[in-house]
Amino acid sequence: MGIKVLQPGILATIQDLGRYGFQKFGVIVGGAMDSISLRIANLLVGNSQGEGLLEVTLYGTTLLFESDELIAITGGNLQPTIDGKEVPMWRPILIRKGSVLKFNAAISGCRSYLSFSGGIQIPKVMDSKSTYMRAKIGGFEGRKLQKNDIFECDKRTELGERLFKQLKNKPTYVSWSVYYTSFVALKKSQIIRIIRGSEYELFDEKSLKKFFSTPYIITTNADRMGYRLEGEAIQLKEPFELLSEGVTFGTIQVPSNGQPIILMADRQTTGGYSKIGQVISADLPSLAQMQANGRIYFKEVTLEEAQWALIQQEKKLNKLALGLRLKDYKECE
């Protein structure tokens, strides 16, 4: 008894918050592209915030449930349906044995997060369930899901079990939902805040002005490793050779063609291109939900402003977690 993959879709992988502590060995952090949506999805079914779940990209993933399960769907709106009927997002849902969950075409955002109460029953590799496809470790056999794969869920948490029982004889989902717009933006055009990168001062003034005053388009050459952008070319004041050094999620590199690259969740551990900026942590989830041809406007902020934005985001998330626990899911109408 488990969950069977009828159609894998464009890309569906098991992810959690990442694999930390191994970059010194050349192992990337990886993890969810949109960590906020992952954390909320887990909270909604009573899991710990970092539990492994499915990250579904764009469209097509179809699953057959061979047992009753408590789930939640957050992130981008891929028009999910259960047995052909639209299913609401950002709330706990009871899906019954024999039902088919399908993710259709994305209408906002590009990645949905599907959590299961109790989590997915797979072993951790280097303290994480995240799929690192290039190294073929973690997740489901180190790869994306394929047709006819079957995986099982672990035992539901105490909180998840209470909600599961309450929904057993009621409508299959609760009447309330998380107000997601206060956590993550699902827009095709966004202002993305950055702080200065370590080579910021080496770029000429004209290029810096263009960088902050004109839009950059996400090209089709964009994946979990990085987003290649297209827009006004950025130039250094003079040629500069840089030794490879550490990079992270949101680092903005500028190669010799002057077109920026934003490193994403599956970025390499080091890079040798000049770094003009760093996307602030609070804006990474919204950036991760942008599709190809999305329009980015960069805005510079101070380190203090970046820290404040992250603190406020965490406060809202902690408030949500506390509210769900105090609510104890008693209003499942």
Side-chain angles (χ1 to χ4, degrees):
M1 299 288 284
I3 297 166
K4 183 177 182 179
V5 180
L6 299 182
Q7 294 294 335
I10 293 292
L11 176 65
T13 58
I14 296 171
Q15 302 292 345
D16 55 21
L17 290 178
R19 186 169 283 108
Y20 287 89
F22 301 95
Q23 290 189 89
K24 59 186 176 183
F25 304 116
V27 179
I28 67 171
V29 174
M33 287 278 277
D34 175 359
S35 62
I36 291 294
S37 291
L38 175 142
R39 293 167 69 184
I40 294 175
N42 277 317
L43 284 172
L44 287 170
V45 295
N47 293 344
S48 63
Q49 294 185 32
E51 181 57 67
L53 46 58
L54 284 191
E55 179 181 88
V56 179
T57 305
L58 288 176
Y59 66 88
T61 301
T62 307
L63 306 172
L64 170 64
F65 284 71
E66 298 177 339
S67 58
D68 293 348
E69 298 292 346
L70 179 66
I71 67 169
I73 304 171
T74 62
N77 185 352
L78 276 53
Q79 301 183 82
T81 58
I82 295 178
D83 297 332
K85 297 181 180 179
E86 182 180 353
V87 58
M89 297 177 59
W90 300 93
R91 68 189 75 196
I93 302 166
L94 175 63
I95 186 164
R96 302 186 187 280
K97 178 180 178 180
S99 293
V100 173
L101 171 64
K102 181 178 181 180
F103 291 89
N104 298 279
I107 56 175
S108 63
C110 66
R111 293 177 174 85
S112 281
Y113 292 84
L114 171 60
S115 63
F116 307 86
S117 185
I120 299 173
Q121 194 177 79
I122 58 166
K124 290 184 177 182
V125 177
M126 300 181 191
D127 302 325
S128 173
K129 294 182 179 180
S130 283
T131 308
Y132 179 10
M133 290 184 287
R134 286 180 172 83
K136 298 181 180 180
I137 63 173
F140 193 99
E141 299 179 0
R143 58 169 172 79
K144 64 182 181 180
L145 295 185
Q146 297 177 1
K147 187 174 181 178
N148 295 325
D149 284 342
I150 297 176
F151 59 89
E152 296 183 354
C153 298
D154 265 327
K155 182 180 179 181
R156 284 183 287 274
T157 63
E158 181 181 352
L159 194 58
E161 184 64 24
R162 286 202 296 270
L163 178 56
F164 179 84
K165 290 179 179 178
Q166 289 170 352
L167 285 175
K168 260 296 199 180
N169 300 313
K170 294 186 177 183
T172 55
Y173 53 84
V174 300
S175 59
W176 48 267
S177 65
V178 173
Y179 188 60
Y180 71 89
T181 55
S182 64
F183 291 98
V184 59
L186 302 175
K187 300 178 180 179
K188 296 180 179 179
S189 178
Q190 294 193 42
I191 295 173
I192 298 296
R193 294 169 291 181
I194 71 168
I195 58 175
R196 295 185 180 187
S198 54
E199 284 77 54
Y200 179 89
E201 301 294 341
L202 299 180
F203 291 91
D204 63 49
E205 291 185 12
K206 185 177 181 181
S207 291
L208 293 174
K209 184 176 180 180
K210 289 178 180 178
F211 184 69
F212 290 112
S213 62
T214 60
Y216 284 84
I217 307 301
I218 300 174
T219 69
T220 54
N221 192 357
D223 57 18
R224 283 182 48 87
M225 186 172 183
Y227 287 0
R228 288 186 177 271
L229 308 182
E230 187 176 81
E232 292 285 349
I234 305 168
Q235 303 297 330
L236 294 165
K237 294 176 182 177
E238 56 185 39
F240 174 75
E241 291 294 331
L242 178 68
L243 294 176
S244 290
E245 57 185 23
V247 292
T248 189
F249 196 169
T251 297
I252 307 173
Q253 296 184 317
V254 182
S256 58
N257 66 2
Q259 299 297 323
I261 301 171
I262 308 178
L263 302 183
M264 302 300 285
D266 282 355
R267 73 278 180 188
Q268 68 274 23
T269 57
T270 63
Y273 292 132
S274 299
K275 299 174 288 298
I276 192 171
Q278 173 70 43
V279 177
I280 70 171
S281 297
D283 284 2
L284 289 174
S286 296
L287 174 65
Q289 289 293 351
M290 296 188 73
Q291 297 184 29
N293 298 315
R295 189 179 298 263
I296 295 175
Y297 293 87
F298 290 110
K299 177 183 178 182
E300 183 184 358
V301 297
T302 65
L303 177 59
E304 290 74 19
E305 289 172 322
Q307 292 171 332
W308 179 251
L310 181 60
I311 289 170
Q312 295 307 306
Q313 187 179 73
E314 288 297 317
K315 281 184 175 180
K316 286 189 292 185
L317 196 59
N318 290 337
K319 185 177 181 180
L320 172 64
L322 179 60
L324 289 174
R325 187 161 294 278
L326 291 176
K327 187 184 189 72
D328 201 17
Y329 300 115
K330 292 179 180 178
E331 298 178 17
C332 304
E333 300 176 351

